[in-house]
Amino acid sequence: MDLTKLEEIQLDCAKRVIKIEVLKEIKTVGGIDVTFESSKENPTKAWACIVIISLDTLKPIYQKIIEDIVDFPYIPTFLAFRELPLMKRVYTEAKSKPDVIFIDGQGISHPRGCGIASHFGVEVGAVTVGVAKKKLLGNYEPPKETRGSYSYLIYNGEVIGVVLRTKDKVKPLFVSIGHKISLEKAIELVLRTSIYRIPEPLRLAHNLLQRLRKQVLGK
DNA sequence: GCGACAG
DNA sequence: ATCTTGTCGC
């Protein structure tokens, strides 16, 4: 594989990212996650799941899982080339589409401005938010211990996202613009959909996949 | 060269 | 991400 070529794709994708609000009303939020059968084998079986919740109740109103084979390895800053195919397929085949989609990973907080959440948003033409459990790059001050507190993630003197506390005294999340949304709105949505550390759409999608994986592995 | 390094 | 058990704190 030629990583230089893939870097060019990411740079081109970054130019097409829209960093402002385009939605006037948001009623549903979705989350897409991927899990793998094996962490060692390279071509390996994998599953992608989308869960859509109602912003009013925070309860799921739609969910779908697809299965496929993944052969691209995990390489830091190139995550999209491993997980995007599965994510795009589960989204395309879903009979219902959410107003906004949370993606497990970075949005524009990426060395070339195109993490998986932005990449997905641009390719699918959807509104997305990057919700990562760890930082990929940038510097920040620890946010206060109370839920709702946040500090800015800075890279090259620019704000590329926030470090957001979604639960008191629990490790914060790294939230960034994915596509067609403002950072302020992204923060508001992640907070509004978080009961536990991880926002409901992603937490539920992750839980469904973990249960399926254990079932398949016979445990 | 050394440390960092989404999932 | 996955590999893995119990354990401490709210």
Side-chain angles (χ1 to χ4, degrees):
Chain A
M1 68 190 97
D2 181 14
L3 294 184
T4 303
K5 192 73 179 179
L6 300 186
E7 286 182 354
E8 286 172 13
I9 291 174
Q10 292 179 323
L11 289 170
D12 182 65
C13 175
K15 294 177 193 163
R16 302 166 60 192
V17 172
I18 294 173
K19 306 172 184 176
I20 57 171
E21 214 55 46
V22 299
L23 287 180
K24 51 182 176 183
E25 184 176 36
I26 300 173
K27 292 183 174 177
T28 59
V29 179
I32 300 179
D33 190 27
V34 177
T35 197
F36 302 85
E37 174 168 346
S38 166
S39 57
K40 290 185 176 180
E41 298 167 41
N42 196 298
T44 183
K45 188 180 289 183
W47 298 272
C49 174
I50 180 170
V51 168
I52 301 176
I53 66 164
S54 159
L55 208 42
D56 294 327
T57 64
L58 299 190
K59 299 293 184 187
I61 55 176
Y62 180 83
Q63 58 190 49
K64 180 184 182 65
I65 292 177
I66 58 116
E67 176 185 307
D68 216 326
I69 299 292
V70 168
D71 57 19
F72 195 94
Y74 168 69
I75 303 173
T77 78
F78 293 97
L79 176 66
F81 298 99
R82 175 172 170 79
E83 302 191 352
L84 216 47
L86 277 274
M87 289 185 166
K88 285 170 69 175
R89 216 193 105 200
V90 76
Y91 177 75
T92 302
E93 294 179 13
K95 307 226 185 227
S96 176
K97 314 291 184 190
D99 294 320
V100 178
I101 306 168
F102 289 169
I103 300 287
D104 214 323
Q106 315 291 337
I108 62 171
S109 46
H110 176 278
R112 289 168 293 284
C114 186
I116 191 168
S118 296
H119 205 141
F120 178 93
V122 167
E123 291 209 353
V124 176
V127 177
T128 61
V129 174
V131 179
K133 295 180 288 297
K134 299 176 185 172
K135 80 159 189 179
L136 177 57
L137 52 67
N139 300 301
Y140 65 95
E141 295 298 323
K144 288 189 164 55
E145 293 281 59
T146 55
R147 173 189 151 87
S149 299
Y150 66 85
S151 52
Y152 290 102
L153 182 61
I154 310 293
Y155 182 64
N156 281 342
E158 301 274 304
V159 171
I160 58 173
V162 295
V163 186
L164 177 65
R165 192 88 63 183
T166 52
K167 195 174 190 302
D168 287 355
K169 299 172 186 173
V170 167
K171 260 209 311 183
L173 257 27
F174 296 79
V175 176
S176 57
I177 290 174
H179 187 49
K180 293 183 175 176
I181 197 167
S182 65
L183 183 56
E184 295 66 37
K185 195 67 178 181
I187 294 170
E188 179 192 323
L189 279 177
V190 169
L191 273 180
R192 209 203 293 185
T193 55
S194 296
I195 299 172
Y196 304 105
R197 181 188 182 223
I198 307 296
E200 288 300 284
L202 285 176
R203 189 180 71 87
L204 297 172
H206 188 74
N207 286 345
L208 284 177
L209 289 176
Q210 290 306 310
R211 273 186 276 154
L212 170 63
R213 183 173 184 277
K214 280 195 173 184
Q215 177 184 312
V216 170
L217 264 49
K219 290 186 177 178

